[in-house]
Amino acid sequence: MRPPICADDLRLRARSRIPRFAFDYLDGGAGAEDALLRSRQAFRRTSLTPRILVNSAEPADLSHRFLGRDWSLPFGITPLGLPGLAWPGADRALAKAAEARGAAYVCPTPATETLEELRLAAPTRSLFQLYVGASPDITQDLIARAERAGYDTLVVTADVPRPGKRLRDLRNGFGLPLKPTAATLADLVRRPRWSLATARAGAPRLANLAPYAKAGAGARTLAEVMAAQSSGRLDWAVLAGIRRRWGGRLVLKGVLDPRDAIRAVEAGVDAIQISNHGGRQFDAAPAPLDVLPSIRAALPPDFPIALDGGVRSGEDVLKALHAGADFVFIGRPFLYGVAAYGPAGPGIVFDMLAAELEAAMAMTGYRSVADIRRTGLNREPLAAGAWTLPEA
């Protein structure tokens, strides 16, 4: 297999290897996908000024300290819902690749393997993402399970008071369990490798939620349990209760407004993650990179800020760090990677992004992540229609 040149190569290969309904679920966004496009446009219109005559004979140091831990890279894998649709065993492949490279992996609540199994796959590199659903008992039990499994960092996702309206999924009739329509069956026939691999492994299921459904519950019941995790119950009082209950580090994910960022600091979280949920929740949401400078300015200079959304390259990672992020989380490229190359895919993506980041740092004169100064970026408006999402 020829190695990928960039994230767009991964996307196109992924599209050719998995069924359309699976690809659209992983690739798509909410509504008309304007939020998804804005996230990419923010990076596209951002430039970095090269510096010359800086000795870069030795590779730049990509190691980084974040949340009191040392990482080999300043980027990691953001929580990815139902990644088993990309390829069977995707969760484990993602966790193992992060562990092997000393990188961060956030285990999602809607994983297709249990949080306990994924902790074993990444025993020193994993964090756990928590959805706060309608049932306080389920929320408390998920926290207790994460604690028993040895997770020391909880990432509370705060931007899902309602399920996002994803038009691609609605048009495809996608849901759990999959409906055996003529179009779905034809799609499966066109992708025999994925279909056979999935048949051998079993259809993807929401493994973390199985204990909270009735004995013998099928995919539909589990999907209903997961839907209840898109709950408007999470508020500042509930977050305060989680802060009291959880003794480890606490990250609040889904922040896009400086006012919420300030209140999160006051609530005692250890870091925030600027995120528009990959453009999958609210189509009117701004691009994370666009709101990063105002949030950075509103918080103490040493307060940790992570960012996800629209990151597709090592240069994008550098742009986010340069704009004031302390850490970068990445989603879709890792999904494309596992869909394109199976279990080897996440490692391929890590290596590609790391090489791109190191090259970008050489071009801009940075010899370590610690050297990156939080200075303003030179931005030029993107002309209307100058860039669109690549065709599938």
Side-chain angles (χ1 to χ4, degrees):
M1 292 184 294
R2 190 177 70 176
I5 298 173
C6 63
D8 284 345
D9 284 358
L10 291 170
R11 183 179 184 272
L12 292 174
R13 181 174 172 83
R15 177 66 190 91
S16 71
R17 277 171 50 90
I18 68 176
R20 181 77 194 207
F21 65 81
F23 178 80
D24 281 349
Y25 172 79
L26 303 171
D27 184 67
E33 302 189 351
D34 292 333
L36 179 59
L37 178 60
R38 274 193 294 275
S39 295
R40 285 298 304 130
Q41 287 176 328
F43 282 101
R44 294 279 298 205
R45 68 172 178 260
T46 299
S47 65
L48 293 167
T49 303
R51 300 299 304 274
I52 62 172
L53 300 183
V54 178
N55 190 326
S56 60
E58 296 297 323
D61 180 7
L62 303 186
S63 64
H64 188 47
R65 189 164 181 81
F66 177 66
L67 288 176
R69 299 171 65 179
D70 293 319
W71 308 94
S72 297
L73 298 167
F75 62 87
I77 302 174
T78 204
L80 301 168
L82 212 60
L85 273 175
W87 205 261
D91 293 276
R92 189 176 297 268
L94 293 163
K96 284 188 171 183
E99 182 72 22
R101 286 159 179 79
Y105 163 75
V106 186
C107 170
T109 292
T112 45
E113 296 189 53
T114 68
L115 63 92
E116 292 84 359
E117 292 168 325
L118 294 173
R119 177 66 180 176
L120 292 175
T124 69
R125 301 289 111 184
S126 53
L127 300 73
F128 180 64
Q129 176 232 18
L130 176 71
Y131 274 98
V132 177
S135 168
D137 291 340
I138 292 177
T139 299
Q140 291 302 316
D141 194 60
L142 284 168
I143 293 173
R145 286 173 59 190
E147 201 170 48
R148 289 193 300 269
Y151 291 92
D152 63 3
T153 303
L154 197 64
V155 181
V156 176
T157 293
D159 56 0
V160 192
R162 302 288 187 278
K165 185 176 182 180
R166 298 169 192 165
L167 302 188
R168 291 202 223 180
D169 293 346
L170 293 171
R171 289 170 179 145
N172 291 333
F174 174 78
L176 293 178
L178 297 175
K179 299 177 182 178
T181 64
T184 300
L185 292 173
D187 206 1
L188 293 172
V189 169
R190 287 193 296 268
R191 301 290 183 264
R193 293 181 64 184
W194 183 95
S195 300
L196 291 172
T198 299
R200 286 193 296 267
R205 63 195 303 266
L206 299 165
N208 280 323
L209 302 177
Y212 313 117
K214 294 179 181 179
R220 181 181 299 278
T221 305
L222 289 175
E224 291 169 354
V225 174
M226 184 60 216
Q229 304 308 300
S230 298
S231 165
R233 187 175 71 87
L234 178 59
D235 59 16
W236 292 105
V238 173
L239 180 68
I242 294 172
R243 174 69 284 180
R244 290 191 297 270
R245 167 68 181 82
W246 178 255
R249 290 183 173 87
L250 186 64
V251 180
L252 186 63
K253 180 180 182 292
V255 178
L256 288 170
D257 190 301
R259 293 167 295 183
D260 291 332
I262 293 168
R263 192 160 182 182
V265 175
E266 294 170 347
V269 305
D270 297 291
I272 62 166
Q273 187 165 332
I274 299 174
S275 173
N276 65 5
H277 213 99
R280 293 170 64 79
Q281 273 306 115
F282 183 47
D283 203 23
L289 187 66
D290 282 339
V291 301
L292 171 58
S294 62
I295 291 177
R296 177 75 276 169
L299 300 186
D302 58 348
F303 187 82
I305 297 176
L307 176 142
D308 74 80
V311 181
R312 297 292 184 273
S313 69
E315 285 191 12
D316 289 346
V317 173
L318 179 55
K319 289 174 182 179
L321 296 172
H322 195 267
D326 296 286
F327 204 84
V328 179
F329 283 102
I330 301 171
R332 284 183 178 85
F334 285 102
L335 289 174
Y336 299 150
V338 76
Y341 294 96
I348 292 172
V349 177
F350 268 122
D351 294 344
M352 181 184 74
L353 294 174
E356 291 172 348
L357 173 59
E358 197 284 328
M361 290 172 65
M363 292 297 297
T364 50
Y366 296 121
R367 305 312 306 138
S368 71
V369 175
D371 288 341
I372 300 172
R373 298 289 182 261
R374 294 171 175 164
T375 57
L377 300 182
N378 174 28
R379 292 175 156 222
E380 296 180 1
L382 186 70
W387 187 84
T388 59
L389 289 173
E391 292 295 327

